[in-house]
Amino acid sequence: MKILIAEDETALQQSIATYLERDGNVCETASDYREAAYKVDLYDYDLIILDVNLVSGSGLDVLKSLKKENKETGVIIISANNSLDDKLDGLDLGADDYITKPFHLAELNSRVKAVLRRGKYGGDDTISFNEIKVDTKSRMAYIDGKVLSLTRKEYDLLVFFMTNKGRVLSKEIIAEHLWGDNSDLADNFDFIYVHINNLRKKLTGEGAKYIKTAYGSGYKFIED
């Protein structure tokens, strides 16, 4: 999934990103309020790990802006303050969870998975579309019970399509989701076509037909 880590302690920020990327997540970072607010306004994330006390502003204001725009983004508040008021304020504003520093990265990762599971998969570890089934816990995909041999990016692309059924996804959005900040370095998005073409070949037959080209706009995952 695509995750934003808004944390002004650089060492902790990078530790969280490195740990979560082990599970195949794409992590972007923000070191202060202005950068966090800018990225939340510009991009869509599956989850935001949000420090309450950001340099130049409050993480709670970022949360307010997020909810005002009705973005369906999971939010985990992190803070050095073990204050009940801070916790209640964050949860009342729409945060999904709250964790107090210091914490173990394994515990944070467990909470991240729980929030994503509730938000994206309806509380389940699997997502299905007709004959296609994906187990997000094991990161395995199946067609009619047979394992699909997918690369990491092909798997991420399939999950992104399946969790955004019927929505037109531009090449820019797909690139940002799969590569995060590094997508800005691309001269063009021809590599997106390559990954989609390879995924279509592996889905074969009926499955490949679910990935439609929205000419001039991008792609969408939908049944005829």
Side-chain angles (χ1 to χ4, degrees):
M1 298 292 101
K2 186 177 179 181
I3 298 173
L4 175 65
I5 303 164
E7 165 60 54
D8 55 14
E9 294 181 32
T10 305
L12 177 59
Q13 176 196 101
Q14 293 305 314
S15 293
I16 293 173
T18 299
Y19 196 95
L20 296 181
E21 285 170 350
R22 294 176 184 175
D23 283 343
N25 298 299
V26 174
C27 295
E28 296 183 7
T29 59
S31 299
D32 60 31
Y33 168 79
R34 292 186 181 88
E35 185 179 13
Y38 172 78
K39 288 192 172 182
V40 167
D41 181 60
L42 194 61
Y43 304 117
D44 289 327
Y45 296 96
D46 297 295
L47 178 77
I48 299 173
I49 297 173
L50 186 61
D51 190 355
V52 170
N53 299 309
L54 292 171
V55 174
S56 74
S58 170
L60 294 180
D61 288 332
V62 175
L63 179 56
K64 289 177 185 177
S65 176
L66 182 75
K67 296 306 177 181
K68 185 177 180 180
E69 295 177 13
N70 295 317
K71 290 190 175 183
E72 296 181 0
T73 303
V75 177
I76 297 178
I77 292 289
I78 58 175
S79 175
N81 299 324
N82 193 18
S83 165
L84 178 60
D85 288 340
D86 285 338
K87 180 177 181 178
L88 293 178
D89 286 345
L91 295 175
D92 286 345
L93 287 172
D96 298 275
D97 202 351
Y98 187 107
I99 188 169
T100 304
K101 300 176 186 177
F103 51 80
H104 293 290
L105 291 176
E107 180 186 359
L108 176 63
N109 190 33
S110 178
R111 294 187 185 219
V112 165
K113 290 179 178 179
V115 170
L116 290 173
R117 188 162 58 243
R118 291 196 301 268
K120 285 287 184 181
Y121 316 132
D124 201 347
D125 286 319
T126 62
I127 50 176
S128 301
F129 186 82
N130 294 343
E131 72 277 15
I132 303 174
K133 181 179 179 179
V134 174
D135 185 327
T136 61
K137 192 171 184 179
S138 64
R139 290 181 60 84
M140 297 291 292
Y142 307 84
I143 286 188
D144 290 326
K146 296 181 180 179
V147 176
L148 277 174
S149 179
L150 301 177
T151 66
R152 171 179 164 177
K153 290 303 182 188
E154 289 164 359
Y155 169 86
D156 292 341
L157 184 58
L158 177 60
V159 171
F160 192 42
F161 274 132
M162 292 179 70
T163 54
N164 288 277
K165 294 189 295 288
R167 176 187 174 192
V168 175
L169 303 173
S170 68
K171 292 179 180 179
E172 291 82 3
I173 287 175
I174 293 172
E176 288 166 6
H177 184 83
L178 298 182
W179 283 272
D181 289 333
N182 293 327
S183 66
D184 294 337
L185 303 177
D187 294 328
N188 58 63
F189 296 107
D190 289 346
F191 58 90
I192 295 294
Y193 171 78
V194 173
H195 285 291
I196 289 177
N197 193 45
N198 288 339
L199 178 59
R200 278 174 167 158
K201 289 178 181 178
K202 292 182 179 181
L203 290 176
T204 68
E206 188 64 29
K209 297 178 183 178
Y210 299 144
I211 302 176
K212 309 289 187 183
T213 300
Y215 293 101
S217 302
Y219 300 90
K220 62 181 177 177
F221 191 86
I222 194 170
E223 191 172 8
D224 283 333

